[in-house]
Amino acid sequence: MEMRCGSRSGRRTALTTSPPGNTRLQHERQHAIYVRALREGSVDVADLSRRYGVTTETIRRDLSDLQGRQLLRRVHGGAVPVERMNHEPMVDTRDTVNADEKLRIGTKAVEEVPERGSVIIDSGSTGRHLAMVFPVEREVHVVTNSLTTALTLSRRGIQDLTVLGGAVRTKRLAMVDDTTRRELEHMAIDVLFISCDGLSFKHGLTTPYREEHTLKRTMIERAERVVAHGGSLEVRQRADVRLASFEEIDVLVTDTGVDPEAVDILSAHGILVHRV
């Protein structure tokens, strides 16, 4: 497969039926409906009709399209997400904590997905939420070391997916050993989506997971553009394990609770910071 490298410098109205040719607006509305279903557990036809200013017939067609893509399942008066029905038994406790926040972060982060090329999504519950809203229709080769992320993308219809090998760390359902790292060494990746837990003004982004440090470092080295993401980013006086210097990060997507001083420092280093 050919992998392409990008550039690191790239930084309501009256009810009407959607115009037949306006596929972009239709796609954006359907994506918004899907994300709302994930957040709320279900959606209602009448409510969606009012919210988006289209007829109930248009909404029903949207729900049918989403069902055909195996994203939603039609029920009386609305729809429920297939994602929750399929994955709930595999979701660990961390995946249910701040799920709405993680989905907001994931939704913002996927704006960095190229129209074509290659990306890595590393392990972590925020990465799985990113996979839930990943634009699977694009010509993008996705690489991941997370079993739950891979399963999410596969069930959503991703066409080009590589799951890195290695011993499975059962608590995280991810591969993080030397075998995993070696598989990355020959790859050239356009965009890396990497989870982060902490911030040290002296050392940069940090992680408490020592056993994952080497793998994450390899991911950063193989990627042309690095998008860090994580909620409740803790500002630490002392680093746990240094994950990346500020100069190695292009974008950070986090929640609104992050320390404003941290945002100023990150921005001063040329990092584009999104708080959602």
Side-chain angles (χ1 to χ4, degrees), residues 8-249:
R8 203 171 189 82
S9 63
R11 297 290 203 200
R12 232 141 31 149
T13 57
L15 295 182
T16 58
T17 302
S18 298
N22 204 339
T23 56
R24 179 178 177 182
L25 289 178
Q26 181 186 46
H27 174 75
E28 291 174 352
R29 184 178 63 249
Q30 289 183 1
H31 179 74
I33 290 171
Y34 171 60
V35 171
R36 180 169 296 277
L38 288 174
R39 287 178 176 171
E40 300 181 1
S42 65
V43 288
D44 176 80
V45 169
D47 174 66
L48 294 174
S49 174
R50 290 190 297 270
R51 186 177 299 275
Y52 297 110
V54 295
T55 65
T56 55
E57 289 76 12
T58 296
I59 294 298
R60 290 191 181 94
R61 285 195 294 271
D62 286 338
L63 298 183
S64 294
D65 287 347
L66 290 165
Q67 179 171 263
R69 291 155 55 194
Q70 299 183 10
L71 298 178
L72 299 183
R73 176 187 165 202
R74 295 286 305 274
V75 296
H76 180 70
V80 295
V82 171
E83 194 62 42
R84 289 193 176 186
M85 297 163 53
N86 284 340
H87 283 287
E88 201 64 39
M90 289 189 65
V91 177
D92 69 22
T93 304
R94 292 168 305 164
D95 233 8
T96 63
V97 177
N98 299 325
D100 184 64
E101 171 192 288
K102 293 172 183 176
L103 194 59
R104 291 199 309 273
I105 290 172
T107 300
K108 186 64 179 179
V110 296
E111 293 180 5
E112 294 288 332
V113 176
E115 288 297 326
R116 56 183 56 85
S118 55
V119 307
I120 299 177
I121 304 175
D122 86 330
S123 59
S125 57
T126 306
R128 179 180 170 270
H129 283 79
L130 186 152
M132 292 166 69
V133 293
F134 191 91
V136 295
E137 72 282 354
R138 295 185 187 176
E139 296 178 18
V140 175
H141 174 212
V142 180
V143 179
T144 185
N145 65 319
S146 166
L147 293 176
T148 53
T149 293
L151 184 57
T152 297
L153 291 168
S154 178
R155 283 180 165 162
R156 292 195 54 223
I158 194 77
Q159 296 299 307
D160 197 354
L161 174 66
T162 295
V163 182
L164 297 172
V168 177
R169 188 173 172 214
T170 54
K171 287 186 178 180
R172 291 172 69 82
L173 291 174
M175 289 69 74
V176 298
D177 64 7
D178 282 343
T179 301
T180 316
R181 180 186 57 79
R182 285 195 296 269
E183 289 196 12
L184 278 170
E185 289 181 344
H186 70 282
M187 294 185 179
I189 300 295
D190 291 318
V191 183
L192 164 64
F193 295 95
I194 190 166
S195 300
C196 57
D197 302 280
L199 170 69
S200 165
F201 292 151
K202 181 178 180 180
H203 299 286
L205 296 182
T206 65
T207 177
Y209 303 111
R210 292 180 180 273
E211 65 274 29
E212 297 186 18
H213 169 261
T214 303
L215 176 63
K216 287 177 180 285
R217 282 299 314 161
T218 302
M219 288 179 173
I220 291 169
E221 291 164 4
R222 304 315 301 164
E224 186 70 20
R225 186 170 176 81
V226 178
V227 179
H229 56 82
S232 302
L233 192 65
E234 183 179 352
V235 178
R236 300 182 174 99
Q237 297 301 318
R238 178 177 58 83
D240 294 326
V241 179
R242 182 188 183 195
L243 178 61
S245 68
F246 295 138
E247 288 72 25
E248 293 176 299
I249 303 299

Side-chain angles (χ1 to χ4, degrees), residues 257-274:
V258 67
D259 190 326
E261 183 183 1
V263 174
D264 292 340
I265 291 175
L266 292 166
S267 298
H269 281 82
I271 299 173
L272 178 61
V273 181
H274 297 292

